[in-house]
């Protein structure tokens, strides 16, 4: 009697486990057949890519924050090389927060600085002062001078802008593709 009970129970259990395993394998097989392969995110490679793309923000902590927060769900190739205006980045950060991105306050500061310096497009003749300064890397006094001057006469190009005292021409050269006039 006892051997019947103990002899069959494991067998029954084993069958249940076996058929469940087969079902799960079948499920995995179907899922694998239908879904595109999950991207493999390599943190070290992401950090290198983010640092390499950072020509105007040499603070390694900023790159680190971008890697830690923005490459959890997808690769940095989602955003490196696709500059946008400041307001479009702001919208995107809101969208990513809704997807589940939860940076600390410090990380927000670092990420915003990284994006302002490396990935933001500004229009020298129309962007608001608070967007121009961080991207052009000019202090308040110089940014104010730019805004006063454009009120009188629009800037025509980099040479024109570089004539304003306090504007760093080498920064402008690196920003070239992200400056609109
Ligand atoms: C919790 C997961 C998650 C995190 C963290 C995350 N993203 Fe995303 N991201 C997504 C998902 C999901 C999509 C695709 C759906 C969509 O577009 O909303 C996406 C899409 C994108 C896109 C393409 C969509 C577009 O409008 O061009 C960009 C760019 C992007 N993410 C940038 C970022 C940046 C920058 C950060 C860091 C601040 C970040 N992501 C952090 C989940 C995440």
């Amino acid at each position: 009697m006892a051997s019947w009970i103990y002899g069959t129970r494991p067998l029954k259990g084993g069958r249940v486990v076996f058929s469940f395993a087969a079902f799960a394998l079948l499920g995995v097989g179907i899922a694998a057949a239908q879904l595109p392969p999950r991207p493999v995110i390599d943190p070290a490679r992401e950090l290198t890519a983010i640092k390499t793309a950072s020509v105007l923000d040499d603070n390694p902590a900023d790159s680190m924050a971008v890697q830690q927060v923005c490459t959890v769900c997808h690769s940095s190739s989602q955003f490196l090389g696709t500059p946008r205006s400041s307001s479009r980045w702001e919208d995107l950060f809101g969208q990513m927060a809704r997807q589940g991105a939860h940076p600390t306050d410090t990380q927000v500061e670092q990420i915003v600085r990284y994006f302002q310096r490396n990935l933001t497009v500004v229009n020298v003749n129309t962007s608001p002062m608070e967007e121009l300064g961080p991207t052009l890397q000019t202090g308040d006094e110089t940014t104010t001078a730019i805004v006063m001057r454009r009120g009188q006469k629009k800037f025509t190009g980099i040479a024109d802008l570089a004539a304003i005292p306090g504007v760093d021409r080498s920064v402008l050269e690196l920003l070239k593709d992200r400056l609109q006039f």
Side-chain angles (χ1 to χ4, degrees), residues 108-174:
V108 168
E109 261 175 50
Q110 293 166 326
I111 293 167
V112 166
R113 185 165 49 227
Y114 181 96
F115 277 77
Q116 281 172 331
R117 293 196 169 178
N118 299 308
L119 289 166
T120 301
V121 175
V122 289
N123 187 307
V124 176
N125 289 313
T126 58
S127 289
M129 195 173 154
E130 62 275 15
E131 289 182 18
L132 271 188
T135 298
L136 299 178
Q137 301 196 23
T138 47
D140 281 354
E141 206 178 314
T142 303
T143 316
T144 305
I146 294 170
V147 171
M148 304 265 285
R149 157 58 215 275
R150 76 184 186 188
Q152 292 156 356
K153 184 169 169 271
K154 299 280 182 215
F155 288 98
T156 54
I158 286 183
D160 193 10
L161 179 58
I164 302 287
V167 172
D168 184 341
R169 182 155 192 156
S170 63
V171 169
L172 299 188
E173 292 295 340
L174 291 168

Side-chain angles (χ1 to χ4, degrees), residues 46-113:
E46 293 297 337
L47 185 59
T48 304
I50 291 163
K51 279 188 175 156
T52 305
S54 177
V55 283
L56 282 157
D57 182 351
D58 55 7
N59 186 342
D62 295 354
S63 294
M64 185 82 86
V66 173
Q67 182 262 316
Q68 282 171 347
V69 175
C70 301
T71 66
V72 173
C73 309
H74 50 62
S75 160
S76 57
S77 60
Q78 280 282 355
F79 51 87
L80 295 180
T82 57
R84 305 170 188 209
S85 66
S86 183
S87 59
R88 285 190 56 214
W89 281 128
E90 248 172 63
D91 290 348
L92 180 95
F93 293 154
Q95 195 182 319
M96 291 306 116
R98 288 190 293 280
Q99 292 288 352
H102 292 303
T104 63
D105 289 353
T106 308
Q107 284 173 324
V108 168
E109 261 175 50
Q110 293 166 326
I111 293 167
V112 166
R113 185 165 49 227

